[in-house]
Amino acid sequence: MTVGYHRLDAGGIRLQQLYRIFGRTVAVQDVSFHVPKGSVFGYIGPNGAGKTTSMRILATLDLPTYGDAFVDGFSVIHDPELVRRKLGFMPDAFGSYRDVSCWEYIDFFARAYGLIGRERQKRLEWVTDFTGIRGMQHKPISGLSKGMKQRLCLGRALVHDPAVLILDEPAAGLDPRARIELRNMIGTLGAEGKTILVSSHILTELAEMCDSIGIIEQGRLLATGSVEAIQEAQRKTRDIRLRVVSDPVAAEKWLTLHSDCQSISVAGDTLRFDFSGDEEAQADLVAALIQDGCRISEIHAHQKSLEDVFLHVTEGLVQ
């Protein structure tokens, strides 16, 4: 077995003080994070944030200006050939030949990775079964739907059984059923021990499938960790909604006298406001409001979702 001279003991994915500079543009600036072996990591950021640049560096399609990145312990700078054998990359757009069938397409990449004989046949059959393209394996790629093309691209990334998967916007343009099926496939691969880095703008799906996330903007990593930990760190207020049977305007005036209540608004019989106190303070507030004559029929405390956290952490800046 060939051993890289710059291998780390830890597997998975690791970025170490990564920079990528294009002229005056710093696309990636001092980004460092680790995705442990067998984990699913969600990479979040607006367009132009540096996500794809980071992924291209991990896929050895670009070199960092400074720093390094490691795939299953191998350096993208010093051991790119070993990285490519360990990595499956699914870009946001991929090229294909119109008259090539799905089977021929996957078979081409299997041969490119050096798979031969029974081993290649076995991998081809597994990939077509796992991705659900078995019934279309002899159909030309030009006749596939967007969802089936994404399945085919995932199959291409999986054909050599990589330890690490990099998926750049895999659910873009898919219908709800196709997104759910793709999400289930990613979940299965993660459960089988593959390390997965996936970017997406569909944040609710990332929150459901990922063990941890990283939020990047203008090339800087703003937050990283589990979804729950990031939500807790950013949870400075909670969004309270009260539905009242009595006079909502009187309830609004009552709330304005309490400093814990900000951004109060009234829509029909519903009041909405930001509350900076804890759960006990919230219970005391509601009890006092009822004691002063307000009849409440419904109360809802909205905890911050991943979308809320994303909007709070980022500023909508582009390079």
Side-chain angles (χ1 to χ4, degrees):
M1 175 181 176
T2 303
V3 179
Y5 292 106
H6 299 268
R7 187 171 192 185
L8 297 180
D9 291 334
I13 299 168
R14 184 180 295 276
L15 275 63
Q16 289 186 342
Q17 296 178 307
L18 198 69
Y19 285 78
R20 184 63 175 102
I21 303 172
F22 299 94
R24 296 183 178 179
T25 300
V26 183
V28 178
Q29 183 171 353
D30 197 20
V31 170
S32 299
F33 61 79
H34 177 222
V35 185
K37 182 179 179 180
S39 297
V40 181
F41 182 87
Y43 209 22
I44 305 171
N47 293 328
K51 301 188 303 298
T52 297
T53 299
S54 305
M55 292 180 169
R56 285 177 56 82
I57 290 172
L58 283 167
T60 72
L61 298 175
D62 195 6
L63 284 171
T65 307
Y66 307 107
D68 203 347
F70 297 84
V71 172
D72 199 32
F74 293 102
S75 165
V76 300
I77 297 175
H78 303 289
D79 302 300
E81 290 296 330
L82 290 171
V83 167
R84 290 166 195 151
R85 293 188 175 278
K86 296 287 185 177
L87 179 74
F89 180 47
M90 182 177 173
D92 57 349
F94 67 103
S96 61
Y97 296 99
R98 290 178 54 84
D99 298 326
V100 172
S101 70
C102 296
W103 183 272
E104 290 170 335
Y105 184 76
I106 298 294
D107 183 56
F108 171 84
F109 285 95
R111 292 172 185 268
Y113 279 108
L115 301 180
I116 60 175
R118 182 173 296 180
E119 181 187 11
R120 186 178 77 243
Q121 183 70 23
K122 184 177 180 180
R123 288 302 300 171
L124 289 170
E125 291 177 356
W126 182 89
V127 163
T128 53
D129 285 337
F130 178 77
T131 58
I133 61 173
R134 166 74 74 167
M136 299 185 177
Q137 61 185 18
H138 299 301
K139 188 173 183 178
I141 297 175
S142 58
L144 298 182
S145 65
K146 172 70 173 179
M148 294 308 295
K149 286 181 179 178
Q150 292 294 84
R151 288 171 177 263
L152 179 65
C153 190
L154 178 61
R156 182 191 74 178
L158 288 170
V159 71
H160 58 300
D161 195 19
V164 176
L165 283 171
I166 306 294
L167 311 178
D168 192 1
E169 296 288 347
L174 299 187
D175 61 59
R177 173 176 287 276
R179 288 205 308 270
I180 293 170
E181 291 172 347
L182 180 63
R183 185 181 66 204
N184 290 339
M185 284 190 281
I186 293 172
T188 298
L189 293 168
E192 292 177 352
K194 294 194 182 299
T195 306
I196 302 173
L197 188 152
V198 54
S199 73
S200 178
H201 289 139
I202 307 170
L203 303 188
T204 53
E205 294 192 349
L206 286 184
E208 293 175 2
M209 79 171 76
C210 295
D211 303 306
S212 59
I213 60 169
I215 301 176
I216 186 172
E217 185 176 42
Q218 280 198 317
R220 294 176 178 268
L221 194 65
L222 303 181
T224 184
S226 69
V227 175
E228 294 79 11
I230 292 178
Q231 286 175 324
E232 186 63 33
Q234 298 299 324
R235 189 176 292 150
K236 296 180 180 179
T237 62
R238 61 184 66 200
D239 180 13
I240 305 293
R241 300 184 189 185
L242 291 177
R243 187 175 180 184
V244 299
V245 177
S246 54
D247 185 1
V249 175
E252 179 190 16
K253 291 180 180 178
W254 189 94
L255 290 171
T256 58
L257 300 176
H258 293 73
S259 60
D260 286 344
C261 303
Q262 299 93 29
S263 305
I264 304 167
S265 63
V266 179
D269 60 357
T270 301
L271 294 95
R272 182 173 181 176
F273 57 96
D274 291 333
F275 185 69
S276 57
D278 58 18
E279 289 186 353
E280 289 190 5
Q282 176 185 318
D284 292 340
L285 179 80
V286 173
L289 186 57
I290 294 173
Q291 187 175 4
D292 283 358
C294 180
R295 301 176 62 199
I296 300 174
S297 61
E298 184 177 335
I299 180 171
H300 176 67
H302 172 64
Q303 304 293 350
K304 287 189 175 182
S305 66
L306 188 54
E307 288 95 337
D308 296 326
V309 172
F310 178 78
L311 291 174
H312 184 268
V313 171
T314 62
E315 299 180 24
L317 303 175
V318 295
Q319 300 280 20

